[in-house]
Amino acid sequence: MRKEISAALGLASLLVVSATAGPQKPAPGAPATAKMAVNPKVDALKKEAMADVDTRREFTQQMIDQIFSYGELGFQEFETSKYITGILEKNGFKVQTGLSGIPTAWMATWGAGKPVIAIGSDIDGIPQASQKPGVGYHDPMIEGAPGHGEGHNSGQAVNITAVLAVKKIMEREHLSGTIKIWPGVAEELVGSKAWFIRDGYFKDVDIAIFSHVDSNFSPQEWGDDSGNGLVSIQYDFKGESAHAAGAPWRGRSALDAVELMDVGWNFRREHLRLQQRSHYVIPNGGDQPNVVPQNASVWYYFRENDYDHIKELWDIGNTMAKAASMMTNTEVTWKILGTAWPKHMSRTLSEDMEENIKAVGLPQWSDADQTLARGIQHELKAKEEGLAGTLAPLRGPIPEEQRRGGGSDDIGDISWNVPTVSLRFPSNIPGLPGHNWANAISMATPIAHKGATAGAKAQAMTMLDILLRPEVVSGAWDYFKNVQTKDRHYIPFITEKDPPATWLNKATLEKFRPEMKKFYYDPTRYKTYLEQLGIKYPTVRGATATAGDRQ
Ligand SMILES: [Zn+2]
């Protein structure tokens, strides 16, 4: 596998050279944009779509604010999914629910014929990330409650705004094409997309388009990227309870097994590749100290650069779990709760999208937007750079020796089955920690709204390229077949039988939902969520605290 990867990378870097070298026949996966002739009709339709997206600003803003106010965690996105599918049904989409047996998963379809475009974005939040929007310091709406500390409340608004603009053009121009809209359910648990692939929901899809919040505006990267893939595994140990003081010799502690496994892993960590990232939590450590714990569980994320290395880490984890069970005379079983392949985005599609992003450009930030950004950057002792001022360039593949791991997204599984491109749109603030309350503060403010409108324009333009320029679809498949999957093939980490972990986060939402309901956004009464909450925009503390315009 290692060899195959460097061979593929070698080919990819050769392509960079040949694509810029001159007029010879383009190599597989060479940029579609370079081959595309000037097409005034497509350009005119793109201009129309951009103007149309601008007229939908209020719709985009309401969707973002509404989903922000739901703040639901993975597998519990009931309000969110009901709300989004309601909008789609009203707009003529046919909605299939319960995908892969996941109650909050759905696919909405409209149109007929080829190409089939599947456009998706994640919808789940982060535990304990509740935060008042527009406030530049930690100020939870509800202490301990979940919230959109990743910004997943914005991507569906980007996609649906774009789709509605494109649909209007398709209807008038009688364009062939099928649009499927779908949610990344439980992305923070990498819990759904591999199941969607396994169960065939992307079988007939020609192109997948994804969107994800960012602090800049770019398709980010094509080819092997800086992120990792992962498996998420829970180890359940079973022992025997006993009176912890009266007869401890009769007990067998499942918690001892968990702790021994963790100690073993933390020693082994030093002798693993630098690319790996592994982390765990203990969801069950027993009931109370005077009862020897008969059940205990530890939940690991094992991350690495490629399939073989992820598998290797997982095997080490299994060995340690078995060893810990032998040391403690307990039993162990494990189950897979989530999985993500490392991402690999299409070169053809990414380069096309980048051209569209350049035509849109970054939003015009107001003084109030900049004040909020600098306020939180000051608060977190990050570089006080404000909001993005120049477009981030599209990156090509990262050489294997420079890939040092990072986050994951199960869009990776889709990207290895269908040519995929991912739009990063500028609705967040640079320099924040991620998976944190701080990443929520911009997410129901003009920063998120403007970033999503810009994102929807680029998304609509890219859809028009896919619908109207057959060379974009054929170029994407050429790259997919002859470069990306030439030597590497998708092998799922899940079996036919592994169920999605739909029970996760249920108890947390049951606990917090009654209180969270009081803060659901009501667009019939308030223009924005900030207005409903009575938050002065921006609210920051310290020297940077100047009142900006209220929006
Ligand atoms: Zn995310």
Side-chain angles (χ1 to χ4, degrees):
M1 193 68 171
R2 294 295 307 285
K3 238 196 199 147
E4 284 167 12
I5 285 167
S6 43
L9 278 166
L11 180 53
S13 43
L14 274 178
L15 282 170
V16 177
V17 176
S18 67
T20 50
Q24 73 265 37
K25 188 179 178 292
T33 42
K35 292 183 280 181
M36 281 193 317
V38 180
N39 190 328
K41 174 149 193 216
V42 178
D43 290 345
L45 292 177
K46 282 184 180 177
K47 281 212 181 82
E48 185 189 331
M50 280 169 79
D52 188 280
V53 166
D54 267 327
T55 67
R56 297 178 197 268
R57 278 174 190 275
E58 201 178 307
F59 169 82
T60 312
Q61 169 253 314
Q62 283 187 1
M63 272 200 87
I64 288 173
D65 287 5
Q66 192 75 58
I67 300 171
F68 182 93
S69 78
Y70 293 144
E72 293 174 305
L73 293 174
F75 289 121
Q76 307 304 321
E77 309 97 333
F78 289 98
E79 300 280 10
T80 305
S81 284
K82 195 173 92 189
Y83 166 72
I84 302 172
T85 53
I87 289 173
L88 292 170
E89 271 167 352
K90 243 184 259 161
N91 282 282
F93 281 77
K94 264 180 84 175
V95 178
Q96 180 187 4
T97 55
L99 266 59
S100 293
I102 302 171
T104 56
W106 43 269
M107 193 168 264
T109 306
W110 177 86
K114 293 265 182 186
V116 180
I117 304 173
I119 183 165
S121 194
D122 304 324
I123 56 171
D124 58 324
I126 298 282
Q128 302 194 46
S130 174
Q131 168 69 23
K132 287 183 187 155
V135 175
Y137 47 86
H138 193 200
D139 190 5
M141 308 222 320
I142 301 163
E143 190 70 51
H148 275 292
E150 163 84 0
H152 286 174
N153 59 306
S154 53
Q156 290 290 343
V158 168
N159 290 350
I160 294 170
T161 303
V163 162
L164 295 182
V166 170
K167 179 173 173 265
K168 199 166 127 190
I169 291 172
M170 288 174 77
E171 283 169 328
R172 190 192 62 215
E173 304 283 321
H174 305 290
L175 301 181
S176 165
T178 305
I179 298 172
K180 289 173 179 281
I181 304 182
W182 57 276
V185 165
E187 189 280 327
E188 298 301 343
L189 303 163
V190 288
S192 66
K193 300 187 192 96
W195 279 263
F196 295 164
I197 289 292
R198 181 190 72 181
D199 299 335
Y201 297 107
F202 282 76
K203 227 175 38 231
D204 304 320
V205 172
D206 294 305
I207 300 288
I209 312 183
F210 195 61
S211 68
H212 195 284
V213 61
D214 200 271
S215 56
N216 210 306
F217 195 14
S218 158
Q220 208 170 34
E221 50 210 350
W222 60 269
D224 290 317
D225 75 3
S226 54
N228 276 332
L230 73 82
V231 286
S232 157
I233 311 294
Q234 181 169 311
Y235 295 94
D236 298 312
F237 292 90
K238 193 169 166 32
E240 185 61 70
S241 75
H243 193 300
W249 49 87
R250 293 181 63 177
R252 289 180 283 118
S253 170
L255 178 60
D256 288 354
V258 164
E259 292 193 77
L260 286 165
M261 177 176 177
D262 294 346
V263 167
W265 188 266
N266 287 329
F267 273 95
R268 184 66 171 267
R269 196 187 286 279
E270 188 184 352
H271 310 289
L272 298 172
R273 289 181 0 128
L274 298 179
Q275 289 88 331
Q276 74 87 27
R277 295 272 195 288
S278 48
H279 13 259
Y280 57 83
V281 294
I282 300 175
N284 175 15
D287 299 306
Q288 57 186 64
N290 66 340
V291 181
V292 172
Q294 59 180 319
N295 297 298
S297 302
V298 60
W299 177 13
Y300 272 81
Y301 275 19
F302 299 119
R303 304 191 201 235
E304 250 284 8
N305 272 359
D306 54 60
Y307 176 84
D308 285 349
H309 285 105
I310 296 166
K311 199 80 187 17
E312 212 174 287
L313 273 194
W314 185 4
D315 286 342
I316 297 170
N318 294 350
T319 303
M320 288 214 175
K322 282 186 247 173
S325 78
M326 285 167 75
M327 282 188 270
T328 52
N329 195 19
T330 56
E331 283 154 33
V332 65
T333 55
W334 54 83
K335 53 181 172 269
I336 187 165
L337 301 185
T339 164
W341 257 60
K343 287 177 289 178
H344 189 116
M345 295 301 157
S346 164
R347 178 179 187 178
T348 315
L349 298 172
S350 299
E351 288 180 343
D352 179 70
M353 181 180 274
E354 192 191 30
E355 291 306 309
N356 292 324
I357 287 171
K358 282 186 195 157
V360 177
L362 282 162
Q364 293 280 326
W365 308 118
S366 69
D367 289 347
D369 301 334
Q370 294 286 12
T371 302
L372 179 66
R374 293 211 171 87
I376 184 65
Q377 287 162 349
H378 180 79
E379 181 81 12
L380 298 177
K381 299 183 175 60
K383 192 175 158 204
E384 290 180 44
E385 58 185 314
L387 294 158
T390 45
L391 286 175
L394 170 65
R395 294 197 301 261
I398 297 178
E400 174 63 14
E401 65 277 11
Q402 288 171 23
R403 296 180 70 206
R404 282 293 174 270
S408 319
D409 189 317
D410 48 1
I411 189 64
D413 290 73
I414 290 169
S415 75
W416 283 96
N417 285 277
V418 180
T420 304
V421 61
S422 181
L423 172 79
R424 296 274 173 157
F425 57 92
S427 285
N428 217 306
I429 296 168
L432 307 185
H435 292 180
N436 183 276
W437 55 266
N439 292 71
I441 71 169
S442 72
M443 289 316 304
T445 71
I447 298 172
H449 305 148
K450 289 177 204 175
T453 293
K457 289 179 186 174
Q459 207 71 308
M461 291 161 85
T462 306
M463 290 181 76
L464 288 170
D465 280 329
I466 294 163
L467 291 167
L468 293 162
R469 299 179 191 255
E471 69 270 29
V472 173
V473 178
S474 62
W477 276 98
D478 187 16
Y479 175 83
F480 184 81
K481 283 184 184 148
N482 298 317
V483 181
Q484 180 181 347
T485 62
K486 186 166 181 281
D487 301 305
R488 283 179 287 176
H489 296 286
Y490 179 71
I491 308 167
F493 285 106
I494 52 170
T495 65
E496 284 300 316
K497 285 193 188 131
D498 290 317
T502 52
W503 61 88
L504 291 172
N505 294 322
K506 194 162 182 271
T508 309
L509 262 293
E510 269 167 14
K511 179 178 168 194
F512 286 106
R513 198 184 291 282
E515 194 56 28
M516 290 165 78
K517 266 188 179 159
K518 297 176 191 163
F519 294 96
Y520 288 174
Y521 173 44
D522 181 358
T524 62
R525 292 179 62 197
Y526 301 98
K527 210 165 161 332
T528 67
Y529 194 42
L530 285 174
E531 192 184 310
Q532 177 171 334
L533 297 174
I535 291 169
K536 185 178 168 64
Y537 180 73
T539 299
V540 292
R541 66 181 165 202
T544 47
T546 49
D549 50 323
R550 176 124 175 233
Q551 313 197 26

